[in-house]
Structures are given as C-alpha cells and as structure tokens.
Amino acid sequence: KRLILIGPPGSGKGTQSPIIKDEYCLCHLATGDMLRAAVAAKTPLGIKAKEAMDKGDLVSDDLVVGIIDEAIKKPSCQKGFILDGFPRTVVQAEKLDEMLAKQGTKIDKVLNFAIDDAILEERITGRWIHQASGRTYHTKFAPSKVPGIDDVTGDPLMQRKDDTAEVLKLRLEAFHRQTEPVVDYYTKKGVVAELQAEKPPKEVTAEVQKALA
Ligand code: ADP
Ligand code: ADP
Ligand code: ADP
C-alpha cells in the first residue's frame, strides 16, 4: 500500500507509524525526521532547511520534493510506503502524483488525523523522543519507565527544539493555511479516511486498521 498520514503537529502520526509499518511491511518516510538528521549532520540541505524549521515555517517545496523523489525510488520502498509529514502543500501533492504516475502507481489512502488545536499544546510540550529509533514518549500520556530514559536501550531521551508552545502556534498556522488544502485535494480523489485522533492511542490504531482493511 502507498499511504499518506496528514495531521497537525502532535496529532499522533509518529506514534501510529511504526504499528502501520510493521503490520504492512512498508517503508516509513518522515520528512521531518530526514530534515532533522540533515540539520544535525550540517549537510548543505540541512543548512538550507534549519532557519525555516526553527521558526515553525515550512521548508521549500523543491527541497522536500527532492528528498522524497530519491527515497521512493529505493528498492525497499517498491512494495509500498508511509509518507509521514509529506505532502504538506498542494504543490508537493501534485509533484508526488506526477512522480507516482511515472512509476505507474498512485496513493491508495490518505489518513487524516483530525483533532482540535486545543489538545495539541499539552501533547507537544510533553513529547520526549529517542532519537536513534524514533520512539516517542509523553510525560503524562506515555511515560517511559525511568523519566528521561528510553525503555529499550537505556539511552537518554530528548526534546525537539521546536516543541515549545510558541513555535507550535506558528506550526499550526502553517498547517491550517498550507496543509489543510492537501486534505481537500485528496478528498476530491476519494481516498481520504478521517480518524478521531483525540482518542487514546489504541483506539486510534483500531480506526487505522479499519480504514486500511
Ligand atoms: P506527530 O508525529 O503527529 O507530531 P506524535 O505521534 O509524536 O505526533 O505524538 C505527539 C505526542 O503525543 C507524543 O508525546 C505522543 O506520545 C503523544 N500521543 C500520541 N498519540 C496520542 C494519543 N492518542 N493520546 C495521547 N497522547 C498521544
Ligand atoms: P510535526 O511533528 O510538527 O508534524 P515534522 O517533524 O513533520 O513535524 O516536521 C518538522 C519541521 O520540518 C516542520 O515544521 C517543517 O519546517 C519541516 N518539514 C517537514 N516536512 C515538511 C514538508 N513536507 N514540507 C515542508 N517542510 C517540512
Ligand atoms: P521532576 O519530578 O523533578 O520534574 P522527573 O523525574 O519527573 O523530575 O523528570 C526528570 C526529567 O525527565 C524532567 O525534565 C521531565 O520532564 C522528564 N521526564 C519525565 N517523565 C518523562 C517521560 N516519561 N519520558 C521522558 N522524559 C520524562
């Protein structure tokens, strides 16, 4: 299957991704994770992306389209993939459809993580991440056994620089203005399934499974 996850920051995309990935053996492509890795490694791409990311703005369409174009051509992604955080603009969606048309494929399903903005600040400011694996914890909703330590590896957890209430406001503005139109774009193609993303994680997983059955 070829899937897209769309939802505001903190809506639970990263939490549901590994479950979907394991169940359907798909490759997981998260543009945010890829960009953060490029920033950390100070690659030319990372240097270009950093300023926009720190401010809660989107990075340029050309940059992310290039990353995805390269990734979906990989042999490991031929059976299907989960796009997490891409496309975030209608231009990105159109470019993606062009790339897939060239391969003779298309998007099977768009999972729309619907959630009220009011819930997201608590989710984002409590988020702790194990960088190497992408495992995500939450101080209140999904605490690690030892605070600040990954359950599996014992490594320290970290918080994202942009996971503050202030930057979240800007990221949400970008979401409503630039990414919500992407949902309309795919709704016209009849491939969108809406999830009640404010429910507990297990209930959201059940909705995902129903949408993909
Ligand atoms: P996204 O990838 O959409 O930005 P995450 O999956 O990282 O969101 O979730 C944001 C934070 O909220 C994390 O700390 C995560 O543990 C927590 N979280 C995810 N899903 C739920 C849920 N259904 N209920 C409560 N907390 C959740
Ligand atoms: P979230 O947890 O908010 O959904 P991500 O980890 O997906 O955040 O993205 C973090 C940042 O990376 C975004 O605020 C944006 O600056 C940049 N980014 C990620 N994906 C894209 C994209 N498809 N287009 C433009 N910018 C992106
Ligand atoms: P305190 O009660 O003094 O705040 P804690 O032992 O609760 O100390 O937490 C120590 C640090 O680890 C704090 O920065 C806290 O936000 C963070 N933390 C707490 N719980 C978790 C968790 N489940 N996952 C990741 N980090 C956490």
Side-chain angles (χ1 to χ4, degrees), residues 6-9 112 170-181:
I6 296 187
N112 179 24
L170 303 171
R171 287 156 70 198
L172 278 175
E173 273 173 32
F175 176 80
H176 290 304
R177 195 161 46 88
Q178 294 172 277
T179 307
E180 263 175 355

Side-chain angles (χ1 to χ4, degrees), residues 29-92:
L29 303 172
T31 41
D33 291 346
M34 294 168 174
L35 290 168
R36 276 186 293 280
V39 170
K42 297 198 168 70
T43 65
L45 184 131
I47 291 162
K48 278 189 208 144
K50 186 176 189 302
E51 197 187 332
M53 292 175 77
D54 285 348
K55 282 196 299 191
D57 287 339
L58 297 185
V59 311
S60 79
D61 288 334
D62 288 346
L63 262 182
V64 284
V65 167
I67 299 182
I68 288 294
D69 188 27
E70 215 169 277
I72 61 173
K73 286 179 184 154
K74 290 192 177 152
S76 57
C77 292
Q78 294 313 304
K79 279 194 186 149
F81 49 72
I82 307 165
L83 296 176
D84 174 354
F86 181 95
R88 260 186 163 87
T89 66
V90 172
V91 169
Q92 290 177 18

Side-chain angles (χ1 to χ4, degrees), residues 90-124:
V90 172
V91 169
Q92 290 177 18
E94 289 167 348
K95 293 263 163 80
L96 173 66
D97 283 353
E98 283 171 29
M99 290 181 234
L100 294 177
K102 276 187 203 150
Q103 300 186 348
T105 61
K106 60 181 177 49
I107 293 300
D108 296 303
K109 201 63 113 185
V110 175
L111 300 176
N112 179 24
F113 285 64
I115 190 163
D116 201 279
D117 281 2
I119 298 175
L120 298 172
E121 183 177 320
E122 190 179 22
R123 285 224 192 151
I124 284 291

